[in-house]
Amino acid sequence: SSARGTFKSLTIVNLPSGVATIDPIFFEDCPMLKTITVPAGKAEYYKRRLSEKYYSLIVEREAEKTRVKKEKLPTMYEDKYIIEAIDNQTLAKAIAKMEKKLGAKIEPPYVVRIKPGTRLIKKDAFMDNDDIEVVIFPDDVMMIEGGRNYHDYKLHDQVTIGAFIDCRNLKRLVFSGNLREIGMYAFAGCSSLENIDIPDSVREIGEGAFMDCSSLVKIAIPASIKNVGDNTFSGCSMLEEATIPEGVMKIGSYAFADCQYLQNVILPKSVSYIGGGAFANCTGIENFVIPDGVNAIKCSSRRNKRFDVTDHDGVFSGCTYLKSIVIPESVTEIEDYAFKNCHSLESITIPKGVRSIGMGAFDDTPLKSITIPPSVKVIGGGKYGNGAFSHCKLLENVVLSHGLTE
């Protein structure tokens, strides 16, 4: 066929067995396309007929014989009935149907299995459901749709939605090996989640996906992930261990902010970007090595709901027990508030490639001496006492270079 797709929001395509030919540019106008599902054994066939950029989207369906397993799916999980649903509405109906069949009331918390055949879980599917304890994802599920964060002008407040956001009693996720994307804010606020086993099939974890999962103790990011998004694990206050594999290139803004128990973070050599506030207020970190290739210690901002103000944070702002930091020579900028309130940082070596030091960069640190290399042209200052070295009460020796212009 010479027809081309014009579905701008299309994310998943399921090609039936009867499709014999397909135009190589058929999907050119489908910018949101994430998955092209093809019959079992046909992946190479379609790769030869589509543009190379679609190769990574092609996924084979399981052989037809697997469909008979539908009748053999377990009906119990530990000592609880498994209830199949795709959202809060279908869950309520399924519970009522099962109670009628059993002649007895089923008390929460519930074990939910996403209904087989479901490929995409919608962005608000189970949000705010405190009655769910376990969610089982069958092999059919490939995407948990991304939610969003927006300002509600009627409520005069920020509103965040996600597929399982604020399911406060959700303790366990049983992912399948076919899941490809965990969308924005999908599990944000699931404060009872203690452990998450993310399969290697996942290629994208959206912004804030596990934000404020305050019982989460450890996380291993699969090697298939290239970018850890903004706020992905921020507010995971009990997180002690985060395994970040080689291949990850970007750590987003506030990715691990406010993880007070996080220690011994080792970033792989592949990381070339660390967003502002990425490790802000991680009071358990004592030593840190920035990978060679990172060119800036960034600054970002976020809204402080408690005081209704905007906070500005550097990568390590508020890391009160940070004692040692290794900055590579690839770094050319130390941006605003980079090490603000690092109350244990007594010494630091600024590499010779740094050209600028932002305002508040070392505000309220116990530095005793500092040598500014000749490469530094600008040291930031502010109108309200937030100069680069403001409140450094123990600072006695400062060696300046002749290259300073500001």
Side-chain angles (χ1 to χ4, degrees):
S1 171
S2 60
R4 294 174 60 181
T6 57
F7 300 97
K8 299 292 185 182
S9 60
L10 188 66
T11 57
I12 296 177
V13 171
N14 185 14
L15 293 180
S17 301
V19 177
T21 60
I22 190 166
D23 194 312
I25 61 171
F26 189 82
F27 300 113
E28 288 296 315
D29 294 328
C30 303
M32 303 298 292
L33 189 61
K34 300 283 187 181
T35 304
I36 302 172
T37 306
V38 302
K42 292 290 186 179
E44 292 302 319
Y45 174 85
Y46 284 101
K47 282 182 179 180
R48 292 195 298 268
R49 284 159 175 76
L50 290 173
S51 302
E52 185 175 346
K53 66 179 180 179
Y54 298 113
Y55 288 3
S56 63
L57 306 183
I58 295 175
V59 177
E60 286 189 0
R61 286 194 296 276
E62 292 186 15
E64 294 293 323
K65 64 180 181 180
T66 59
R67 293 184 180 179
V68 299
K69 291 184 178 180
K70 182 176 181 180
E71 299 299 325
K72 298 180 181 180
L73 290 172
T75 57
M76 299 291 291
Y77 183 88
E78 297 179 349
D79 60 342
K80 294 182 181 293
Y81 286 103
I82 295 175
I83 306 169
E84 291 188 350
I86 59 171
D87 54 26
N88 282 330
Q89 290 72 33
T90 56
L91 177 59
K93 292 178 181 178
I95 292 169
K97 184 177 180 180
M98 186 173 287
E99 288 178 338
K100 184 176 180 180
K101 181 179 179 180
L102 296 172
K105 185 172 179 59
I106 303 173
E107 296 291 343
Y110 304 123
V111 176
V112 175
R113 178 168 57 220
I114 304 303
K115 188 175 181 181
T118 303
R119 298 190 179 278
L120 181 146
I121 299 174
K122 293 185 177 181
K123 59 188 174 185
D124 58 352
F126 295 94
M127 62 184 295
D128 297 321
N129 193 325
D130 289 340
D131 292 333
I132 300 175
E133 184 176 45
V134 179
V135 179
I136 302 170
F137 297 83
D139 289 342
D140 301 310
V141 176
M142 293 185 177
M143 182 189 300
I144 301 172
E145 188 178 23
R148 63 192 180 110
N149 185 299
Y150 65 98
H151 186 82
D152 189 309
Y153 290 94
K154 292 182 179 179
L155 298 175
H156 302 289
D157 199 3
Q158 290 296 116
V159 175
T160 307
I161 60 174
F164 295 90
I165 194 170
D166 291 335
C167 292
R168 297 176 183 85
N169 291 314
L170 179 59
K171 294 182 178 179
R172 190 176 306 176
L173 302 172
V174 184
F175 287 125
S176 76
N178 288 333
L179 184 65
R180 295 167 69 88
E181 180 179 338
I182 299 174
M184 295 169 60
Y185 307 106
F187 298 98
C190 293
S191 53
S192 295
L193 272 178
E194 296 179 358
N195 187 33
I196 304 169
D197 186 9
I198 302 174
D200 291 337
S201 58
V202 174
R203 299 180 182 181
E204 183 177 339
I205 300 175
E207 175 183 332
F210 297 100
M211 181 174 69
D212 294 331
C213 291
S214 54
S215 296
L216 188 63
V217 175
K218 64 179 181 179
I219 186 70
I221 297 170
S224 53
I225 297 296
K226 302 303 178 187
N227 300 322
V228 179
D230 297 349
N231 292 296
T232 301
F233 300 102
S234 68
C236 294
S237 54
M238 298 301 293
L239 187 66
E240 298 177 1
E241 180 183 338
T243 302
I244 305 172
E246 187 67 35
V248 171
M249 296 182 289
K250 177 182 177 181
I251 307 295
S253 298
Y254 298 102
F256 294 94
D258 306 316
C259 296
Q260 292 95 324
Y261 287 93
L262 187 61
Q263 303 177 38
N264 302 322
V265 178
I266 300 175
L267 296 185
K269 295 179 181 179
S270 55
V271 171
S272 59
Y273 180 93
I274 305 174
F279 298 96
N281 305 316
C282 290
T283 53
I285 296 178
E286 295 185 5
N287 306 287
F288 202 98
V289 177
I290 299 174
D292 191 12
V294 173
N295 57 30
I297 302 176
K298 306 291 287 184
C299 177
S300 291
S301 60
R302 60 179 174 177
R303 183 187 173 207
N304 186 322
K305 289 186 177 181
R306 182 179 178 184
F307 299 106
D308 195 24
V309 296
T310 298
D311 287 337
H312 300 278
D313 297 291
V315 175
F316 303 100
S317 293
C319 292
T320 53
Y321 285 91
L322 181 65
K323 297 178 181 178
S324 171
I325 180 79
V326 177
I327 304 175
E329 293 191 0
S330 58
V331 169
T332 59
E333 294 179 79
I334 298 176
E335 295 189 4
D336 299 348
Y337 310 109
F339 300 97
K340 181 180 180 180
N341 295 331
C342 290
H343 296 156
S344 301
L345 190 64
E346 296 182 355
S347 64
I348 193 169
T349 300
I350 299 176
K352 61 184 179 181
V354 172
R355 296 194 296 263
S356 64
I357 300 173
M359 66 179 183
F362 296 94
D363 187 2
D364 200 14
T365 59
L367 291 174
K368 296 179 180 179
S369 65
I370 190 76
T371 299
I372 308 298
S375 58
V376 174
K377 306 301 180 185
V378 177
I379 297 178
K383 297 180 180 179
Y384 306 103
N386 53 354
F389 297 95
S390 292
H391 308 108
C392 294
K393 298 177 181 178
L394 300 179
L395 188 60
E396 297 177 350
N397 184 31
V398 179
V399 179
L400 299 174
S401 71
H402 296 295
L404 280 172
T405 59
E406 184 179 344

